Every structure is written in C-alpha cells, then in structure tokens.
Amino acid sequence: MRIALFATCIVDAMYPKVALATVRVLERLGHEVVFPAGQGCCSQMHVNSGYIEGALPVVRNHVEAFTSADYDVAVAPSGSCVASLGHQQPMVARACGDEDLARGAEEVAARTYELSELLVDVLGVDNAAEQLGSHFPHRITYHPSCHGLRLLGLGDRPTRLLESVDGLELVELPDAQECCGFGGTFSFKNPDVSGAMVDAKIKNIESTGTGLCAGGDSSCQLHMSGAARRRGSQVRTIHLAEILASTRANPLELDEIADLSIPRVHATVTPSAGGAR
Amino acid sequence: MTTVDLGMPGTRIAYGSGNLYEETPFPEHARAELKNTQMRANIGHATHTIRGKRARVVGELPDWQDLRDAGSAIKQEVGARLPELLEQFEANVTARGGVVHWARDAAEANRIVTDLVRAKGVEEVIKVKSMATQEIGLNEHLEGQGIKAHETDLAELIVQLGEDKPSHILVPAIHKNRDEIREIFSRRMPGTGKELTNEPAVLAEAARSYLREKFLDTTVAISGANFGIAETGTLTVVESEGNGRMCLTLPKTLITVMGVEKLLPRFSDLEVFTQLLPRSSTGERMNPYTSMWTGVTEGDGPEEFHLILLDNGRSAVLGDPAGRSALHCIRCSACLNVCPVYEHAGGHAYGSTYPGPIGAILSPQLTGVAAEQNNSLPYASSLCGRCYEVCPVKIDIPSILVHLRDEDIRTKHGQRDQAATQQRSTVIEARQAEAEAAGVTPEPAGHPAEAKKKKVPSEMDLLMKAAGTVMSSGTRMGLAERALPLGRGALKPFGGAKWLPGMVGGWTQERDIPVPPNQSFRNWWKNNGENTQQRVAEDLGDTQLAVSAGGEVPASSLAGEIHQHAAWGAEAQAVAKLRAERDQAEGATTKDSPATSTGEREGEQNA
C-alpha cells in the first residue's frame, strides 16, 4: 500500500524521531510511505482556542495537501490530531460556509488512521514481535490520551500492540483514563489546574515503578515529561511508535530517549546531492 | 415568554441573572481554591467514590446507551415543542387546582415568591433542595425581605448553617468532611452539645431533630422540580432523605419554582428518566423517595399550590442551535464527578450556582458569554471528553465549550457588540434591581458597551495569527523549522528552557521545555526519505518477519459500536459513515495490498 504520513506539526517540529519511527514500522511491512510536502497542522490549536475563522486556512491547507497527494490511506502518530480531522475540520469549514471544503475534509478524515488503528485494523498486526520485529526489553506503563480513547475509541489496540513487543513488560497505570492536563492552550491559560492534573498523573506513573510512560500523543508527552522534569521526577515518556520501531538489530536505548533529534544511525546517511540545500 | 427568539429585529433576548456569574476569572479563582488542600482531598475522595458507584450501576444495564439516546431525544422534543408543551402544562396544572405564574428572570421569580409568602403572613419557610432557587438567589432575596428560608436537605443545611456556598449540584457540601460538619453543627445548631461526635449517624440524628421541628411548625414550603409532565400537569421531585416528602406534604402552601426546560411531554417519559437520573447522580439503581403531585387534592397534602415557571435566560439558550442541548441537563452531576478540572479546582472556582463542565457551558449561555467573567468559564476544560461520556442525556459539552470560546473571541473582536452590550446591561440592571429591593443604594456602573471592548489585538490574537500563517503552508513550516538548530544551540547548554515571557509563561510555570531537535522531520525527509532499504536493513538485520495476517476487511473503530457512542459531534458521525462505506467498497483491494507489498519486499531482499 501507499501510505501518506501526516506527521502532525508537533511531531514534525519537536519529535521528528517519532515520525521516523512511524515510517520505519510501516516500511518494514513492505508499504511505501509518502510525505505530502504541503502539510502543516490539523487546526486543533486554533479551534480549541476559539479561533474558528482563524482555523480555516489551516484546514484548507490540510485538505488540499491530502487531496492532491496520491496514496491509499494516511496515518498520523497522534490520536488527537486524527480525531480533529474528522471532528473539527468539517465543523470549521461549515461554520465558515464552505460546504465543498467540509466534504473534502470528511473524505480526507475517512482515509486517515491513527497509528495503532492502522496497524491493527487495516494492516492486521496482532503480534508486534513477530510481524514488526519489535524488541524493547523494558518495564513500561501506558497513558491512553483522551482523544484516542474517547473520540476515536481506540480501546486496547495500543496496549495489545505493546504487550506483543519482545521483552516488554506492561504495568497497568492507575487512573489511566484521567486526562494528563495538557489540553492545548488550556495548559498555559489555566496553568495551575493543568499543573495539578499533571501532578496526579506523574504520581500515578511513579507508583507503577516503571519510570517510563508510553503513549500515542507527543503533545501530551511534551507536557508530561516537561512537568516531570520541573518537579524533579525521574518519569520519562516515550511514543508507541518508537517502541514498535525498536528492534534487536537496532534497539532504542533508554539513554537515547531524552534527545529529540533523529537518532544518529539514521541521520548520518549522506544526503543525495539534489536534495541537500 | 413562550416565544423562542429567532433573531428577529426588535426582539430583546431575556438573558438570565442571579447566582450565575463568575466574579473573578476562572484561572485566578481556581489558583486560590487549589491552595485549599483539605477541600481538594474531600472532593477527590467523594468524587472517586461516586464515580465508582455510578460505573457499577450503569454497567448493569445492557440498554444504557439506548436509554441515553432516548433521554436525549425526549429532551430534544421538549426544546422543539416548548411553547406548545408549556401551554398544555399550564392548562393541566390549572385544571387540577394549581396556580401558574410566569417569571421572565430571577427578579420576577423572587418577587412572585415573596408576594406569595407575604400573603400567607409568615416569616419562615422550609425548602426542598432546588437548583432553580439557588440560581435566582431566592434565600438571599427572602432574607432581605425579612423572610427566613430553612434548607432541609442535609448538605444544603450544612452549607446554610456554615454560611458557605454550595460547591456541587447533588452534594452541595462535598467540600466539607465530617469533622468540619461537626464543628458547624455544634456552633450553629441549637441544642447540640458535647455528645455531638463526627459519626455520620450522630450528625444525621442531630439534623433530623433540628429539622423535625421546622417541618411541624412551618406552613409554607418552597421546592424546585425535577420533572413537569405536560400531558398531566404532574410535578416530580426525586430525593434521598425524605425531607422533600415532608416539605411537599406537610405544609398548607407549596410554592414550586421550575425552569421551563424541566418539562417532559408524557408521563411515560418518566420511565426513561427515573432510570437515567439516580444511576447517574448518586450511583443508585433507584432513589429512595420519588414524590409526584398534580395540583391540589382535598384532605391530602397542601391546600394551595403555586407553580412559578422560570425562564431566566433559557429562551436565549434555546435560540442557539449550537448550544441549546445544554437545556437537556437533568442536574445529575455525573459530569462533575468525572471532571479532573472540577476535582482539583472545586465547585466554588466556577462562581455560578452551576459548577463543573455543565456549569462551564450553562452559566455563560444563560447570561450570555459577555456577562461578568463568564467568558473565562468555557476555557476551564482540557476537553478530555469524560463529561460527554457519562452524560445521561448526551450533552456534547466539549463541542459547546469550543462553540462558546468562539463566541468569546468574536465578542472580543467586536463582532457581537449588540448582544454583548445587552448581556452586560442585564447584569447591571439585575444588580440595581436587587439593591433597590434590599433598600441599598446601587453601586454606579460603567456603560455596558464599554465594559470589555478591546481595540488592540491581544497576545493570544497575535500568537494565533502567526501560528495560522506558518501552519497553513508546508513551505512556511519548513522555513520556520530552519530555526531549530539555533534553538537547540541556545538551549543545549542549559538542558532546556525554564522560562518564557508573557502569556505562554503559563507553560513554563509548570513545565520545562526540552532541547529541540537539530532538524524537523520535514527537512530530514527531503534528504533521507528515499533510503527505505537502508532503514529496513538496519532495523531487521537477518530477522525474518512473519507475514502480516492483514486481510480481513477492517471493521474500523470509527464505524464501530464503541465509537458510535464515544465520539462527540455530528461531524465525527458523518466521517464514521463515510469510512464504513469506503471499507465496504474497497474491501477487496485493502485485503490484497499488504500481502502483495510484503511479497515484493521479500522478493527484493532475497534478490
């Protein structure tokens, strides 16, 4: 299959290694990954901050980028951004009186899957060790971010994948369904409440004794790991895609987690003459 | 009163007034409340307990989702047929000997109640717990008129004796623990002595003896209503303590204040709501007391029954298609009990009678988003969606929060000046009227139109504008991301950032910013995207992968049973449908692709 990657703005700019991990997992299954170059953001930040009109150009850009590209299905390593495509983009277009754009947004959304959803539902992965070669010999816990959980109904897809990773031990997170307190601009418009919420989340992660919390949304992880660091907690976060991408031949080491750059082994590839600028 | 505003010129929308305002912006109010660790511990304990009970009894019902759909549909019908149903209800109540009064707002409702009580020549009344009378500030108003209203619900009594404010819809004293309650009782309840301990049974007994006298001595009672049945004129109060039954049956005169949205078309609709309400609120299969009365019955119960039908902004809510489902609310408080913002900030942080997620949409809708600081309430949510998940009548609270944020932004941008001015004058006029009624000189108020006009773009406006420009173009994103190495160089020596200026300083108040990556994925992909074989070889070495089973036509989660009830918003449903159709149509191709591709890759490797 030809799979279009919607990296999402936060992964593209802050967690490029999560996008790369997504690519590596899909390529391993024999699929071709393309990156529609026009892509930007899903518009969620604007919409959730009340800037519906301001979101319109962002929505239009996404719909154009993913309508003009040639692919079978699209994937994003984020439950929240995928949910936004179906839930918010058509609403924005309709609120601004653009029914054609709304239909286009619905069509793009219907072809776009969250990573675990794509792997389990479409690509038939039920054993990450055997089908993806995933190897990550560590104890971790898992936080199901709200929009994947409640808007997409991902259910146990991510944890089923994690449990099938070679060497991995998954410890249940108490009150896992509680929001981590990120909430987009809520995080800085209501910093005190957001901080109280993440306090509770960090304590719950600490209580698992794993120190490492996996998840499917980098935005929540930026918030959780940043808050943990501020509080002097040892808790770290890791994206589901990074765990699935880790193999015996190319394992992700724990001391690599903190650096957000693309791992050196992949970054040292000599740029082809035409591509470098 | 019965007309729904359709935005016709010349129609003045009646916004609500009373205890519906957030006085301090929510973030500041919450910051102060968060320091009350005892309150947070009490609320945390109580909400987690109720949450568990609710989950157990809801889980017992195989048709819970159907019940939610039914509840939502009935309430939608009530909204669509409100004028007609109200007239039917009035006719039936009147025919059975009740007297119906209509109140446009809090001031009118308070005045009607006061006149009725005065006409009976009494100075004390007993009350059944009621959100409507909290909303209009009835107790405070009566106090100013020399009439003492005694709350008879245990938690309301605790709040009243403690001269406190309710902080929860169902459990108004949820923020107090038993030691604090013992202290309040021993201080304020006549006849309590050293024998008063913090045992729940002892505290309840003290309240019971105290209240029993009130029930026997008082001749006028005031209640709210959970439901009003249009086809029969019947009113319903559901409760747990029996105090309601006492108030509704013992006194000679009963005065009921009911929000117009509490109507149900048919008696049989109660079948749905008597299942939804107790399970969602107290986590019980059934509430202990369900009282129903229709007009007056000679020799049985009150001799005189007055019903006050209250608008107080409800017509304004009904006039907004994007927000009107907030009127479906049956005041169960399930959304409060699961809300993490409510859990940490507590009910008082919301200012209004209605706290929690429902309060964050209902208060600014009843008063208009421009009234007082109610425009800070729609932002008091991380949009986690748990409120929608548990709502027994499926109010799409997260979507309405976003809708109200949009209204707030458009108000600030001067796009809703007329509505905003009217919303602000409603507050000013209501305060003046209340001050006059209490015989106090009203404080001078500024011109409502000037109250919040902002001419300069806010910091948030500028941030959104800049972000919108960058994020609506892949080229511009790529260019902006060229700054990443610069940021990395600047922050690496410090291991990240701990401080940001201005509004986004809220981020660094609670969190560090990590050292950024040396380049974006987009820019990396331009140079490295095509090296698929190298990546696969590095990752897998000699490992042979099992061929993916992939093959079954995906029953996509979006189209599945869970999602049907999990997703909020009509748009998500439309996408689910599209996807299901697509899955069906393309089932065959989807089925073949992964296997074919895997085969090709293996072919390449072997070669």
Side-chain angles (χ1 to χ4, degrees):
Chain A
M1 254 203 280
R2 212 171 140 86
I3 302 175
L5 173 67
F6 171 37
T8 77
C9 60
I10 194 154
V11 165
D12 177 32
M14 284 302 281
Y15 292 91
K17 60 180 185 171
V18 170
L20 172 60
T22 307
V23 169
R24 284 161 61 199
V25 166
L26 298 174
E27 286 179 337
R28 235 175 263 169
L29 287 167
H31 301 293
E32 182 193 355
V33 180
V34 293
F35 182 87
Q39 66 179 276
C41 165
C42 65
S43 82
Q44 191 172 186
M45 182 175 81
H46 284 85
V47 176
N48 288 352
S49 305
Y51 289 74
I52 306 268
E53 270 174 48
L56 186 67
V58 184
V59 170
R60 194 182 302 287
N61 178 68
H62 184 85
V63 174
E64 277 169 11
F66 282 84
T67 305
S68 57
D70 175 27
Y71 60 91
D72 298 306
V73 292
V75 67
S78 161
S80 194
C81 305
V82 170
S84 169
L85 302 190
H87 169 54
Q88 298 186 322
Q89 291 200 350
M91 179 273 285
V92 169
R94 289 210 171 88
C96 299
D98 193 336
E99 184 60 31
D100 285 349
L101 182 61
R103 293 230 184 84
E106 278 169 1
E107 271 162 32
V108 169
R111 288 167 78 189
T112 309
Y113 292 79
E114 187 272 343
L115 178 60
S116 70
E117 194 183 19
L118 180 77
L119 289 171
V120 174
D121 293 357
V122 181
L123 304 181
V125 174
D126 53 19
N127 188 320
E130 287 179 12
Q131 291 164 282
L132 303 173
S134 309
H135 168 77
F136 192 71
H138 304 285
R139 287 179 84 231
I140 64 158
T141 189
Y142 175 79
H143 167 63
S145 285
C146 302
H147 292 174
L149 187 72
R150 284 182 271 270
L151 273 170
L152 295 182
L154 293 180
D156 62 357
R157 287 171 182 80
T159 46
R160 261 156 56 200
L161 287 171
L162 285 171
E163 279 171 336
S164 68
V165 169
D166 180 38
L168 185 144
E169 188 191 338
L170 186 66
V171 182
E172 197 182 331
L173 178 66
D175 285 336
Q177 299 203 347
E178 294 277 314
C179 175
C180 70
F182 170 61
T185 50
F186 170 78
S187 60
F188 58 82
K189 294 188 95 165
N190 275 285
D192 300 86
V193 181
S194 172
M197 286 160 73
V198 78
D199 278 342
K201 183 58 72 181
I202 290 170
K203 284 194 187 107
N204 279 323
I205 297 171
E206 284 171 342
S207 79
T208 64
T210 63
L212 189 56
C213 183
D217 276 274
S218 295
S219 47
C220 306
Q221 299 191 326
L222 182 72
H223 160 73
M224 284 156 63
S225 59
R229 215 184 116 103
R230 173 60 57 87
R231 287 154 180 73
S233 163
Q234 298 303 308
V235 163
R236 287 182 293 180
T237 58
I238 185 168
H239 197 282
L240 168 73
E242 294 179 87
I243 293 177
L244 296 178
S246 173
T247 59
R248 275 182 191 278
N250 187 14
L252 174 66
E253 303 296 346
L254 293 181
D255 59 10
E256 289 177 89
I257 293 173
D259 194 334
L260 304 189
S261 295
I262 281 177
R264 213 147 42 87
V265 60
H266 297 289
T268 48
V269 174
T270 322
S272 59
R277 265 192 255 173
Chain B
M1 187 56 49
T2 56
T3 49
V4 179
D5 180 76
L6 298 169
M8 308 278 267
T11 312
R12 181 176 162 137
I13 301 171
Y15 290 104
S17 56
N19 292 331
L20 288 172
Y21 305 119
E22 174 64 299
E23 310 277 345
T24 316
F26 183 85
E28 289 167 38
H29 204 157
R31 183 176 307 141
E33 296 288 337
L34 278 163
K35 291 181 184 136
N36 188 345
T37 49
Q38 181 65 62
M39 176 274 290
R40 287 174 65 188
N42 296 347
I43 291 185
H45 175 74
T47 52
H48 280 256
T49 307
I50 305 179
R51 201 183 284 186
K53 280 176 74 182
R54 177 205 162 272
R56 276 194 296 280
V57 295
V58 162
E60 290 172 357
L61 291 187
D63 60 346
W64 181 252
Q65 298 302 344
D66 296 333
L67 278 169
R68 286 178 80 208
D69 284 333
S72 174
I74 294 166
K75 284 292 186 177
Q76 214 170 317
E77 182 191 349
V78 170
R81 297 176 54 207
L82 192 60
E84 164 203 345
L85 290 174
L86 279 170
E87 285 174 11
Q88 187 190 5
F89 186 48
E90 178 187 32
N92 284 323
V93 171
T94 311
R96 298 294 300 266
V99 183
V100 178
H101 311 256
W102 299 84
R104 177 193 180 90
D105 54 22
E108 267 188 24
N110 285 332
R111 195 164 55 237
I112 295 168
V113 175
T114 308
D115 290 349
L116 289 169
V117 176
R118 283 225 177 103
K120 294 289 134 197
V122 299
E123 288 177 350
E124 290 191 36
V125 295
I126 46 174
K127 280 190 71 203
V128 188
K129 177 175 159 28
S130 133
M131 295 309 292
T133 59
Q134 287 282 359
E135 174 188 322
I136 60 175
L138 180 64
N139 290 8
E140 301 94 299
H141 180 84
L142 290 177
E143 187 87 51
Q145 305 298 308
I147 299 163
K148 176 77 191 159
H150 298 283
E151 292 291 350
T152 62
D153 171 84
L154 181 55
E156 288 287 1
L157 179 66
I158 294 164
V159 168
Q160 190 178 38
L161 291 177
E163 295 177 324
D164 198 357
K165 275 181 161 185
S167 71
H168 190 278
I169 290 176
L170 178 78
V171 199
I174 195 169
H175 55 292
K176 297 286 183 200
N177 65 18
R178 52 165 103 160
D179 293 319
E180 293 167 298
I181 294 166
R182 196 204 71 84
E183 187 277 321
I184 292 168
F185 278 12
S186 60
R187 189 160 47 83
R188 295 294 311 274
M189 201 178 267
T192 51
K194 285 219 170 81
E195 73 284 0
L196 192 70
T197 68
N198 69 357
E199 286 301 305
V202 175
L203 292 169
E205 186 53 38
R208 183 175 290 131
S209 321
Y210 171 79
L211 289 170
R212 187 58 52 117
E213 281 178 37
K214 306 284 176 207
F215 289 132
L216 295 174
D217 294 347
T218 316
T219 55
V220 177
I222 299 172
S223 85
N226 290 99
F227 309 105
I229 314 296
E231 74 173 0
T232 58
T234 305
L235 284 126
T236 309
V237 163
V238 297
E239 41 123 6
S240 299
E241 297 168 14
N243 65 303
R245 177 69 54 85
M246 298 278 215
C247 289
L248 298 167
T249 52
L250 288 174
K252 288 185 175 164
T253 303
L254 173 61
I255 302 168
T256 298
V257 183
M258 178 183 126
V260 289
E261 85 287 13
K262 295 281 165 195
L263 276 184
L264 296 177
R266 296 157 294 265
F267 195 81
S268 60
D269 296 329
L270 282 173
E271 178 208 340
V272 174
F273 289 95
T274 50
Q275 292 187 75
L276 288 173
L277 182 53
R279 285 177 201 256
S280 299
S281 57
T282 51
E284 292 168 305
R285 296 187 181 101
M286 194 174 178
N287 49 288
Y289 293 88
T290 302
S291 300
M292 295 190 197
W293 70 100
T294 311
V296 289
T297 307
E298 209 181 322
D300 182 13
E303 295 160 8
E304 212 176 303
F305 169 54
H306 294 271
L307 174 66
I308 296 155
L309 291 169
L310 176 73
D311 187 299
N312 207 34
R314 285 157 177 80
S315 293
V317 182
L318 193 59
D320 176 7
R324 62 169 60 129
S325 65
L327 294 180
H328 295 184
C329 177
I330 55 173
R331 312 284 189 260
C332 72
S333 62
C335 62
L336 278 61
N337 297 333
V338 297
C339 176
V341 175
Y342 174 86
E343 181 184 335
H344 292 290
H348 292 155
Y350 295 81
S352 156
T353 293
Y354 301 107
I358 186 64
I361 60 169
L362 200 53
S363 311
Q365 283 191 278
L366 288 169
T367 64
V369 82
E372 292 298 296
Q373 300 295 335
N374 279 3
N375 65 349
S376 67
L377 293 174
Y379 298 94
S381 166
S382 65
L383 304 178
C384 82
R386 283 195 91 163
C387 46
Y388 173 74
E389 199 173 43
V390 298
C391 179
V393 285
K394 296 184 88 166
I395 302 171
D396 188 351
I397 295 178
S399 294
I400 297 178
L401 286 167
V402 168
H403 163 64
L404 293 172
R405 291 176 188 187
D406 173 57
E407 277 202 345
D408 172 49
I409 297 298
R410 286 188 289 117
T411 305
K412 284 175 179 157
H413 290 175
Q415 294 169 16
R416 302 176 68 249
D417 279 350
Q418 206 187 337
T421 305
Q422 211 178 310
Q423 290 159 10
R424 289 174 200 135
S425 18
T426 302
V427 189
I428 294 169
E429 285 163 21
R431 294 235 159 108
Q432 281 171 341
E434 192 58 30
E436 276 161 28
V440 191
T441 321
E443 282 180 32
H447 192 276
E450 301 301 321
K452 279 182 191 166
K453 217 165 196 177
K454 287 197 181 166
K455 295 186 177 69
V456 194
S458 68
E459 225 179 313
M460 193 68 181
D461 289 341
L462 297 174
L463 179 74
M464 288 294 142
K465 180 93 186 150
T469 307
V470 173
M471 288 169 168
S472 57
S473 150
T475 315
R476 288 193 290 270
M477 284 266 291
L479 283 172
E481 287 161 351
R482 297 267 155 161
L484 282 169
L486 206 68
R488 184 176 174 85
L491 292 184
K492 197 145 192 206
F494 309 101
K498 288 187 182 298
W499 181 84
L500 285 174
M503 180 187 62
V504 285
W507 178 270
T508 43
Q509 175 192 315
E510 297 292 333
R511 317 146 192 98
D512 287 0
I513 293 179
V515 179
N518 55 11
Q519 60 181 329
S520 68
F521 178 78
R522 179 188 312 268
N523 291 335
W524 177 87
W525 181 259
K526 275 188 208 150
N527 300 327
N528 303 278
E530 60 198 32
N531 301 313
T532 302
Q533 286 180 40
Q534 190 180 338
R535 284 191 288 271
V536 173
E538 277 167 0
D539 281 351
L540 295 184
D542 307 330
T543 314
Q544 289 294 313
L545 295 184
V547 173
S548 157
E552 287 311 303
V553 175
S556 346
S557 63
L558 265 172
E561 170 80 5
I562 304 167
H563 196 263
Q564 193 188 333
H565 300 291
W568 60 76
E571 283 80 10
Q573 305 297 331
V575 170
K577 198 163 156 261
L578 257 179
R579 200 184 261 200
E581 286 166 7
R582 198 187 119 261
D583 286 348
Q584 219 164 15
E586 297 179 11
T589 39
T590 315
K591 186 172 178 169
D592 296 341
S593 316
T596 318
S597 310
T598 308
E600 279 166 12
R601 181 180 56 73
E602 281 174 355
E604 281 165 18
Q605 279 194 335
N606 292 341

